[in-house]
């Protein structure tokens, strides 16, 4: 696998490259943002890395600025969605027991209603 070209069988790599069309909300050299296909909150966006990293557990030390960028973009989205003051949640599921389904690093940006904390 060449991380720069993405992984051929990865749905999020295909969305990032444009091979699978998506309603892209924001993109730059590092990240791509699009709505979750199965939203669980009124605002439910996915912030993915362009680089194919299978999970948070696979991030290298060199990826630290990239992960920071994902959080920075979440704050930018919050401002744009009018959620900075109301509140919002960012979640990264890493691995099976966390419920990660898509093995490509992504951050869930969720908001627009009162969120409970559940285990
Ligand atoms: P995970 O459980 O891996 O953290 O979350 C994966 C998320 O990706 C799920 O919320 C799921 O609805 C979303 N998802 C899976 N496949 C697609 C897709 O092809 N397009 C979009 N927009 N979202 C997807
Ligand atoms: Zn991928």
């Amino acid at each position: 696998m060449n991380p720069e070209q993405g992984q051929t069988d990865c749905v999020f790599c295909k969305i990032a490259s444009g091979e699978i069309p998506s309603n892209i909300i924001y993109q730059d050299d590092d990240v791509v943002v699009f709505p979750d296909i199965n939203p669980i909150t009124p605002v439910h966006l996915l912030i993915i890395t362009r680089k194919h990293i299978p999970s948070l557990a696979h991030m290298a030390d060199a990826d630290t600025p990239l992960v920071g960028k994902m959080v920075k973009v979440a704050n930018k989205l919050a401002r744009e969605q009018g959620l900075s003051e109301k509140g919002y949640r960012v979640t990264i599921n890493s691995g099976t027991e966390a419920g990660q389904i898509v093995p490509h690093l992504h951050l869930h940006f969720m908001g627009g209603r009162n969120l409970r904390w559940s285990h």
Side-chain angles (χ1 to χ4, degrees), residues 23-74:
N23 177 21
I24 292 176
I25 306 284
Y26 171 82
Q27 59 181 322
D28 60 28
D29 288 345
D30 301 314
V31 302
V32 180
V33 181
F34 53 91
D36 195 294
I37 202 170
N38 186 24
I40 62 171
T41 49
V43 180
H44 187 172
L45 304 174
L46 299 174
I47 304 169
I48 72 168
T49 51
R50 284 197 184 276
K51 178 182 177 184
H52 181 87
I53 302 171
S55 77
L56 189 64
H58 292 81
M59 83 175 261
D61 286 353
D63 295 322
T64 303
L66 182 56
V67 175
K69 174 78 170 284
M70 296 171 85
V71 176
K72 179 183 171 182
V73 169

Side-chain angles (χ1 to χ4, degrees), residues 11-12 15 20-23 34-40 44 46 48 91-95 98-104 106-108:
V11 63
F12 283 0
I15 288 174
I20 296 177
S22 181
N23 177 21
F34 53 91
D36 195 294
I37 202 170
N38 186 24
I40 62 171
H44 187 172
L46 299 174
I48 72 168
T91 299
I92 297 175
N93 297 320
S94 184
Q100 184 181 2
I101 298 167
V102 178
H104 177 129
H106 55 280
L107 185 152
H108 294 259

